[in-house]
Amino acid sequence: MIDNPYMIGVDWGTTSLRAYLMAADGAVLDRQIRASGILNVPDGDYAFVLEEACGGWMERWPGLPVLMCGMIGSRQGWREAPYLQGDAGSKELAAALVTVTTGKYQVQIVPGLEAKSFNGGPDVMRGEETILIGALAQGAPTEGLYCLPGTHSKWVSVFNGRIGAFSTFLTGEIYEMLCRRSILSALIKSTGSTSDEVRHEAFLRGLDLAGDGAGLLHQLFSIRARALTGAGDEGTAGDMLSGLLIGSELLSVGDRLRSFRDSLVLVASGAIADRYRTALAHLGFKPRLFDAETACMSGLCAVAAEGLLESTKSTNLAT
Amino acid sequence: MIDNPYMIGVDWGTTSLRAYLMAADGAVLDRQIRASGILNVPDGDYAFVLEEACGGWMERWPGLPVLMCGMIGSRQGWREAPYLQGDAGSKELAAALVTVTTGKYQVQIVPGLEAKSFNGGPDVMRGEETILIGALAQGAPTEGLYCLPGTHSKWVSVFNGRIGAFSTFLTGEIYEMLCRRSILSALIKSTGSTSDEVRHEAFLRGLDLAGDGAGLLHQLFSIRARALTGAGDEGTAGDMLSGLLIGSELLSVGDRLRSFRDSLVLVASGAIADRYRTALAHLGFKPRLFDAETACMSGLCAVAAEGLLESTKSTNLAT
């Protein structure tokens, strides 16, 4: 029996849709998960997919605000929510929401952010801004260096509780590509009966390999050369590759890691959280850990709390 | 009318088989090209494919030596020709040939090489050793730094006309993977009506990007960020990516490039030769250029000349 829900939050990315019915304190009252990522929506009928997933909630509580974040607001999604430029907090995000309609209900989309990367080039995020705001709402430090690992890992400077410069790394995508179909694939697939301890050591060797100065393109091949010449343990190529790529990412943020040694925050879930924690510990760093999925929900609540609730209630087509 | 052939040389790699009927001076008297790379040979019946391609030559000149190089000598090929360790020239290669038989004819395989990479880890080559020996036979400097660009680019120290340390870079394979199916694919495919000049400039910008210290995994993503934020020219992502990856490779051999400034050798053919020449020129280097396909044939001749011809004639099953 669900009482008094506060809002519907939707994290709609490239590979999945995760919808949450939330209480005012951020507690999850109900959830619906679909494999309908934005690239997997027939005829681009996003309204249909959204109503299929959480139309029941919208019908039962017709005035409830619905807030979405992630790639649904990209050029390939439902409607582009243009990147917000410069430092941003929950206020700026709430002020720049983009509205779409299912026909019966209005739904808001959180915009992504555009900023300078650590090296001065342009960089963008979409979805991570909501996770960051959520981690802050959960008590993460208002000044610090945040790591959000994944397909496209983000390293983010947070100042005064606002999102500043950030750099994106293609780490997860390169890892997946090399596992799936490359000269390393066959090696990676033959994990055999390798023990967890041996695999852990291979991960650490991969981390160390990243620092040998030979360059990533050579280091990648050297995983194969090690296997061919018997210098690598059987069945550990995938772990070594993972260590190498994460190590390469950490090396690239090296100076900042040291500067923010005491205010490092890792926002991640599951196996990838373990990998990054292990990698950071290997280099002598101990980040505070926040769960990414929970942070995303908190972030949607925090943005909604910045005035969306009242304005949505008064304008929703169904009221 | 073909007179007096000297040998049959076969360059048999992962994606194709190239067979040459050669004169004693290395001139090509006839050639047969097949798409039957070693991973594309039904039932692993290499003898059948070889006889289909050059059985006519073998029948007409039954005592003719047949020498193969490339991945045909790998664990996934006809028979493994174990990697030769340490510095090697044509003599060492000729002394370590591995023999297979089609049933009617004996055929020899040139072994690959195993050596220390520039950074001390293990590295391997298979096929490139023959190309290097061939470039040397064609008058390339007996002391120098050689670049053989490709799917797996090789940078090789040559001393006293022998192959020393070398490092392999996954440059070409990563480029292909990112073009084919990655977050960058759509950008790369939309080349539109971009002029050659604009594309050339994007290639140079990619080369410069490699040197900004941000790390390759971030630089790869930044090609996308530039396009999304309007900081990149439309239709140039592929050229920028190519420049970035080649630039990253050149950066990794930077010290050696400077040390061997006056004895740089580029062994390549076609478009990839142009790209590497442009990239090296952009950094102030002018390599001597040798054609890779011609060098491969010369290399097969040079190894054959090291005694193979007589010994093969006396042992061939068909004589």
Side-chain angles (χ1 to χ4, degrees):
Chain A
M1 168 92 196
I2 296 169
D3 251 355
N4 209 14
Y6 177 75
M7 68 173 292
I8 296 168
V10 181
D11 174 14
W12 202 340
T14 308
T15 57
S16 70
L17 175 159
R18 310 174 80 85
Y20 308 96
L21 183 67
M22 285 187 280
D25 63 357
V28 174
L29 305 173
D30 198 3
R31 79 182 71 207
Q32 296 288 340
I33 314 293
R34 298 286 183 279
S36 306
I38 66 151
L39 299 178
N40 191 23
V41 169
D43 304 324
D45 194 349
Y46 299 100
F48 178 84
V49 172
L50 184 68
E51 291 206 359
E52 187 282 317
C54 43
W57 303 337
M58 296 195 277
E59 203 162 308
R60 179 157 171 208
W61 297 284
L64 217 55
V66 184
L67 187 59
M68 307 194 293
C69 68
M71 292 302 280
I72 191 65
S74 70
R75 215 167 292 173
Q76 293 80 40
W78 192 333
R79 179 163 307 160
E80 186 174 6
Y83 291 113
L84 211 56
Q85 296 191 15
D87 299 355
S90 53
K91 275 189 176 49
E92 288 79 5
L93 291 171
L97 298 178
V98 165
T99 305
V100 291
T101 173
T102 67
K104 283 161 82 180
Y105 307 102
Q106 280 192 355
V107 178
Q108 315 272 64
I109 303 177
V110 180
L113 297 182
E114 176 184 338
K116 290 284 180 211
S117 75
F118 297 156
N119 291 69
D123 212 320
V124 292
M125 64 168 63
R126 198 177 278 288
E128 292 90 352
E129 72 295 325
T130 306
I131 296 173
L132 287 160
I133 294 300
L136 285 161
Q138 292 178 347
T142 55
E143 316 264 329
L145 181 63
Y146 283 57
C147 171
L148 287 74
T151 304
H152 300 159
S153 284
K154 307 279 178 189
W155 284 83
V156 186
S157 283
V158 169
F159 289 100
N160 281 327
R162 293 154 63 85
I163 302 165
F166 56 86
S167 284
T168 306
F169 296 81
L170 215 61
T171 315
E173 182 164 349
I174 292 280
Y175 176 76
E176 288 299 326
M177 279 177 20
L178 287 167
C179 286
R180 210 170 43 220
R181 195 185 164 89
S182 78
I183 190 81
L184 299 178
S185 304
L187 279 175
I188 290 169
K189 279 164 193 157
S190 67
T191 49
S193 55
T194 314
S195 74
D196 286 351
E197 194 185 331
V198 168
R199 294 184 58 188
H200 174 73
E201 277 160 18
F203 179 71
L204 298 185
R205 275 205 309 281
L207 286 172
D208 292 336
L209 180 61
D212 81 353
L216 183 58
L217 293 171
H218 169 64
Q219 290 156 349
L220 289 172
F221 185 83
S222 82
I223 291 178
R224 176 170 158 81
R226 274 160 222 269
L228 286 175
T229 61
D233 289 321
E234 189 103 8
T236 59
D239 299 284
M240 195 162 177
L241 173 64
S242 174
L244 169 61
L245 290 170
I246 292 173
S248 178
E249 180 186 320
L250 297 184
L251 203 68
S252 300
V253 287
D255 289 345
R256 247 161 235 264
L257 264 180
R258 283 179 286 278
S259 304
F260 289 90
R261 163 177 296 282
D262 299 319
S263 51
L264 290 176
V265 181
L266 177 62
V267 191
S269 307
I272 199 171
D274 291 340
R275 293 234 148 182
Y276 273 75
R277 213 151 45 153
T278 302
L280 285 163
H282 188 63
L283 299 177
F285 299 105
K286 282 208 174 143
R288 289 184 59 186
L289 181 66
F290 287 79
D291 178 72
E293 191 182 348
T294 317
C296 182
M297 291 182 264
S298 297
L300 288 164
C301 277
V303 174
E306 292 289 350
L308 166 68
L309 285 161
E310 287 316 307
S311 69
T312 309
K313 272 185 178 155
S314 62
T315 60
N316 222 335
L317 303 180
T319 57
Chain B
M1 170 87 198
I2 296 169
D3 249 357
N4 209 15
Y6 178 75
M7 67 174 292
I8 296 168
V10 181
D11 175 14
W12 202 340
T14 309
T15 57
S16 70
L17 175 159
R18 311 173 79 86
Y20 307 97
L21 184 66
M22 286 186 281
D25 63 357
V28 173
L29 305 173
D30 197 3
R31 78 181 72 204
Q32 296 289 340
I33 315 292
R34 298 287 182 278
S36 306
I38 65 151
L39 300 179
N40 192 22
V41 168
D43 304 323
D45 193 348
Y46 299 101
F48 179 84
V49 171
L50 184 68
E51 290 205 0
E52 187 283 316
C54 42
W57 303 337
M58 295 195 276
E59 203 162 308
R60 179 156 170 210
W61 296 284
L64 217 55
V66 183
L67 187 58
M68 309 195 291
C69 70
M71 292 302 280
I72 191 65
S74 70
R75 216 167 292 173
Q76 292 80 40
W78 192 333
R79 179 163 308 161
E80 185 174 7
Y83 292 113
L84 211 55
Q85 296 192 16
D87 301 354
S90 53
K91 274 191 177 47
E92 287 80 6
L93 291 172
L97 298 177
V98 165
T99 304
V100 291
T101 174
T102 68
K104 281 161 83 179
Y105 306 101
Q106 281 194 355
V107 178
Q108 315 272 65
I109 304 175
V110 181
L113 297 183
E114 175 184 339
K116 289 285 179 210
S117 76
F118 296 157
N119 291 69
D123 211 321
V124 292
M125 64 168 62
R126 196 178 282 286
E128 291 90 352
E129 72 296 324
T130 305
I131 296 174
L132 287 160
I133 294 300
L136 285 162
Q138 293 178 347
T142 55
E143 315 266 329
L145 180 63
Y146 283 57
C147 171
L148 287 74
T151 304
H152 300 160
S153 284
K154 306 279 177 187
W155 284 83
V156 186
S157 284
V158 170
F159 290 100
N160 282 328
R162 292 153 64 86
I163 302 165
F166 56 86
S167 283
T168 305
F169 295 81
L170 214 62
T171 314
E173 182 165 349
I174 293 281
Y175 176 75
E176 289 299 327
M177 279 177 18
L178 287 166
C179 286
R180 209 169 45 219
R181 194 186 165 88
S182 79
I183 191 80
L184 298 177
S185 305
L187 280 175
I188 290 169
K189 278 164 194 157
S190 67
T191 50
S193 56
T194 314
S195 74
D196 286 351
E197 195 184 332
V198 168
R199 294 183 57 188
H200 175 72
E201 278 161 18
F203 179 71
L204 298 185
R205 275 205 309 283
L207 286 172
D208 292 337
L209 180 61
D212 81 353
L216 183 58
L217 293 171
H218 169 64
Q219 290 155 350
L220 289 172
F221 185 84
S222 82
I223 291 178
R224 175 171 159 83
R226 274 160 220 268
L228 286 175
T229 60
D233 289 320
E234 189 103 7
T236 58
D239 299 284
M240 195 162 177
L241 173 64
S242 173
L244 169 60
L245 291 171
I246 293 173
S248 178
E249 180 186 320
L250 297 185
L251 203 68
S252 299
V253 286
D255 290 344
R256 247 160 237 263
L257 264 179
R258 283 178 286 278
S259 305
F260 288 90
R261 163 177 296 284
D262 299 319
S263 49
L264 291 177
V265 182
L266 177 61
V267 191
S269 306
I272 199 170
D274 291 341
R275 293 234 147 182
Y276 273 75
R277 213 153 43 154
T278 302
L280 284 163
H282 187 63
L283 299 178
F285 299 106
K286 283 208 174 139
R288 288 184 61 185
L289 181 65
F290 286 80
D291 179 72
E293 191 182 347
T294 317
C296 183
M297 291 181 267
S298 297
L300 287 163
C301 277
V303 174
E306 292 290 350
L308 167 67
L309 285 161
E310 288 316 309
S311 68
T312 310
K313 272 185 179 155
S314 62
T315 61
N316 222 336
L317 303 181
T319 55

